[in-house]
Amino acid sequence: MASETIWLRLFRPKVEWVEDACALCEKNPLFDKVPRKSIRWLVTRMHPRSYSEGEPIVGMGNAGAGAVLILSGEASVRINGIELERMHRGDLFGEVALAADLPRTAEVVAVQDSELVFFLRSDLQEWLAIMPKEAARLLQNLSKMLAQRLMEKNKMISRQTGQ
Amino acid sequence: MKNLATALLMHPASLAAMVFAVGLGAAWLFLCIASPILFTLVLSAMFYAALSPTVDNLVRRDVNKSTAVAIVMVVVVLLMLGLTALLYPAISQQFETFSSRSVQLDERIQALSMQVDAWARTHLGSGFDPDQVAMRVVQDLSERADAMSTAVRSYFNDVAFSLLLVPLVTFFLLKDYRMLRSETMQALPNRYFELGWMVYNVATVQLQNYARGIFIQALAMSLICTIGFWLAGIEYAPVLGLLVGLLNLIPFFGISLAKVPPVLVVLLSDKPDLLSVGLALLVVFVAQAVDNIYLTPRVVAKSASLHPLTVMLGVMLAGYYYGFVGLILAVPVIFSMKVIYFELLRGIRYFGPKHVS
């Protein structure tokens, strides 16, 4: 599955991963209080991809088109080759790219053969146009997550400067 | 030397040019294969662009996607049938009038050339043989009219067949276009997946803005001219308005070409007079003034930024190779190619994978 060819990728049936991705999204804080029906509608528009062990998923400095949800496998978040975090099934990374066309701040590499789902900024924009209320809820959750991360960084910097 | 060749080959501009050339080749191949149904596809794509916001609106109101598409299509097909039933008698009557008049065309041209001859003899001191000129003009016109009528007849036979397919193709585009697009993008390799989507999104937004701009421009020009010609009492006002709206889209040459059809219609009417010619020209002048002062700066110029020399050469070449259709489509095609190439270059230069193997 990880090293599938273009023609297999073209005709792969979608349904098999949709239920799984819906269940994982429902548990993720980004989709907090977003109706189940809307999550399903959105997930059917997401993009499943397969990565083999050692294959880079996102490159540091490259612009991001969206966030990535891990369906199976493991991924390592690295900066200059130093591992910062391990991501597992159900984890979502690269959410900043949902908000803006900014360069990725770290590199993410698949450490096992992995099945991922890309949630692109263009999907979110389309969703915002069609279901503005539900999409606004997700944007609210996203801003909460990013604000929380900013606070943590600030605390870390103040701790470091305090030492 | 080998390093230099590799560096040149891996330069973002070369990579973008290669990807662009492959894309262009694929597009050309598609156009060659799909040429028998190209009209159907273009018309369906236009219907898709016009109707998809309505389908989205219904989906937003909790209507199932397939039901929403079916509702919209039924309404559109009924509207089109109704409009055809209403407009057909009026159009066929205009055609009948036109054909009955075309029989007297030689007499009119003879009268017109005699008037011009008299004017030339009075003001310029020399004239010509009006009978001979009229005969040549009538002969030339009848040859052209025969050729055009054969072309139009075969074209309408094709169109009539294509029109049957348009609702069907539009239905499936409305229902499945997004899925088809996603499935096509799935063919991209992992390392170019995000880049591919970003280039697609930016290029699509720019092209949509441009297409919307020229559509608004053509529609506004056609409406102003139709109303103007109608108020001035000039015949065939809607057809002339539409023609002026289309001709006005041709850069540089359109501004002059747009004045020819209304003036010709006035000169070949029952009572050709200078006042009607002046009114016809005034209507086109007013429409072009509105276009230059309001429409072009606000609607079109923002989206299309092409060098005048590129536009001029492109229009001349497209006109030479593809005739009237080439003149109309030259700028949109050049603009699309420019947007796609520069978005590819930007994507590969700034956001693409750093180590392309």
Side-chain angles (χ1 to χ4, degrees):
Chain A
M1 187 73 176
S3 59
E4 67 185 347
T5 43
I6 284 175
W7 47 91
L8 284 179
R9 213 182 285 147
L10 261 178
F11 298 107
R12 178 169 47 179
K14 263 184 154 185
V15 276
E16 60 190 45
W17 60 270
V18 169
E19 294 304 325
D20 198 19
C22 279
L24 293 175
C25 284
E26 276 171 39
K27 287 178 200 158
N28 196 290
L30 185 64
F31 294 87
D32 190 31
K33 290 179 187 163
V34 178
R36 196 183 179 148
K37 198 177 137 195
S38 304
I39 293 178
R40 196 183 154 76
W41 187 91
L42 185 63
V43 168
T44 53
R45 276 146 185 85
M46 290 182 185
H47 316 270
R49 308 287 298 180
S50 304
Y51 284 77
S52 23
E53 188 184 333
E55 195 179 351
I57 301 168
V58 300
M60 192 169 151
N62 292 350
V68 186
L69 173 76
I70 302 183
L71 279 185
S72 70
E74 258 182 55
S76 164
V77 183
R78 298 169 187 171
I79 291 183
N80 299 326
I82 300 162
E83 184 173 275
L84 301 180
E85 205 180 341
R86 269 290 161 109
M87 313 285 274
H88 306 91
R89 176 179 152 76
D91 286 337
L92 190 88
F93 60 89
E95 308 94 308
V96 178
L98 286 175
D101 182 2
L102 293 171
R104 301 278 194 196
T105 49
E107 171 190 41
V108 182
V109 178
V111 285
Q112 288 176 7
D113 285 355
S114 306
E115 293 297 317
L116 311 173
V117 179
F118 278 76
F119 172 25
L120 302 178
R121 192 166 53 247
S122 52
D123 300 331
L124 178 60
Q125 282 161 354
E126 214 167 81
W127 193 39
L128 196 59
I130 294 174
M131 300 180 181
K133 275 185 192 168
E134 290 86 341
R137 164 64 64 187
L138 185 134
L139 286 174
Q140 210 173 4
N141 293 338
L142 178 66
S143 51
K144 255 188 221 170
M145 284 169 75
L146 295 179
Q148 214 166 347
R149 216 174 283 172
L150 184 69
M151 270 179 65
E152 281 165 18
K153 289 267 180 203
N154 284 347
K155 272 183 197 168
M156 199 173 77
I157 291 167
S158 62
R159 248 184 274 131
Q160 278 171 352
T161 48
Q163 280 171 358
Chain B
M1 192 66 186
K2 201 180 170 185
N3 283 345
L4 182 69
T6 317
L8 278 176
L9 204 65
M10 299 319 275
H11 190 274
S14 321
L15 282 174
M18 280 190 278
V19 177
F20 183 75
V22 171
L24 205 61
W28 188 256
L29 191 69
F30 173 77
L31 285 179
C32 289
I33 295 169
S35 59
I37 52 161
L38 209 56
F39 180 77
T40 311
L41 292 180
V42 170
L43 211 58
S44 306
M46 283 164 71
F47 270 107
Y48 166 77
L51 299 176
S52 72
T54 316
V55 172
D56 288 346
N57 210 340
L58 287 172
V59 172
R60 203 181 301 158
R61 285 160 209 274
D62 265 356
V63 180
N64 174 280
K65 177 85 182 262
S66 301
T67 318
V69 173
I71 292 171
V72 168
M73 284 310 296
V74 166
V75 171
V76 167
V77 169
L78 286 177
L79 266 177
M80 282 175 74
L81 286 174
L83 270 177
T84 313
L86 273 174
L87 291 177
Y88 183 74
I91 292 170
S92 65
Q93 196 190 351
Q94 275 210 339
F95 265 106
E96 272 169 32
T97 318
F98 188 76
S99 338
S100 64
R101 273 188 189 169
S102 62
V103 179
Q104 307 151 2
L105 198 65
D106 48 345
E107 287 166 24
R108 276 185 206 160
I109 288 172
Q110 198 174 12
L112 191 68
S113 51
M114 280 169 82
Q115 273 179 12
V116 175
D117 175 55
W119 184 88
R121 279 179 203 281
T122 318
H123 293 90
L124 304 172
S126 66
F128 52 88
D129 183 359
D131 290 336
Q132 207 180 352
V133 171
M135 202 173 73
R136 268 194 219 151
V137 171
V138 169
Q139 197 179 350
D140 187 52
L141 273 179
S142 62
E143 276 170 18
R144 277 166 196 270
D146 282 347
M148 196 186 274
S149 114
T150 315
V152 166
R153 220 176 294 133
S154 74
Y155 177 74
F156 272 95
N157 282 342
D158 291 346
V159 168
F161 174 70
S162 304
L163 284 179
L164 289 175
L165 284 176
V166 170
L168 205 66
V169 178
T170 310
F171 176 84
F172 283 109
L173 277 180
L174 284 169
K175 194 173 159 291
D176 294 328
Y177 171 72
R178 281 171 188 150
M179 192 218 26
L180 287 170
R181 181 191 63 183
S182 296
E183 292 296 308
T184 311
M185 295 299 265
Q186 282 294 93
L188 288 170
N190 280 342
R191 66 172 59 192
Y192 294 113
F193 178 69
E194 281 192 281
L195 176 65
W197 270 104
M198 281 192 288
V199 170
Y200 170 82
N201 287 329
V202 176
T204 316
V205 167
Q206 288 200 39
L207 293 177
Q208 272 173 352
N209 287 343
Y210 177 69
R212 198 173 297 133
I214 56 168
F215 178 73
I216 292 171
Q217 188 190 21
L219 190 72
M221 286 293 289
S222 301
L223 276 176
I224 295 170
C225 289
T226 303
I227 295 168
F229 292 144
W230 179 68
L231 288 175
I234 296 165
E235 290 170 302
Y236 314 112
V239 180
L240 274 181
L242 193 71
L243 198 61
V244 172
L246 279 176
L247 285 170
N248 194 63
L249 290 179
I250 303 168
F252 302 112
F253 313 106
I255 200 156
S256 315
L257 283 176
K259 294 177 185 94
V260 177
V263 171
L264 266 182
V265 166
V266 171
L267 287 178
L268 295 173
S269 63
D270 284 337
K271 290 172 190 168
D273 58 302
L274 271 178
L275 180 70
S276 300
V277 174
L279 281 175
L281 285 173
L282 183 72
V283 170
V284 183
F285 273 126
V286 169
Q288 283 175 341
V290 172
D291 180 37
N292 289 331
I293 294 164
Y294 185 80
L295 293 172
T296 306
R298 282 178 177 77
V299 185
V300 187
K302 275 184 198 164
S303 48
S305 50
L306 294 169
H307 193 277
L309 188 67
T310 319
V311 175
M312 199 182 278
L313 292 178
V315 169
M316 282 164 75
L317 283 174
Y320 178 78
Y321 286 115
Y322 302 104
F324 183 68
V325 177
L327 287 175
I328 299 277
L329 292 181
V331 174
V333 170
I334 297 171
F335 179 72
S336 310
M337 285 164 73
K338 182 194 160 185
V339 166
I340 293 167
Y341 176 74
F342 282 103
E343 276 314 308
L344 270 172
L345 183 62
R346 190 182 76 95
I348 291 172
R349 181 176 284 162
Y350 298 110
F351 305 120
K354 283 170 186 151
H355 308 289
V356 185
S357 56

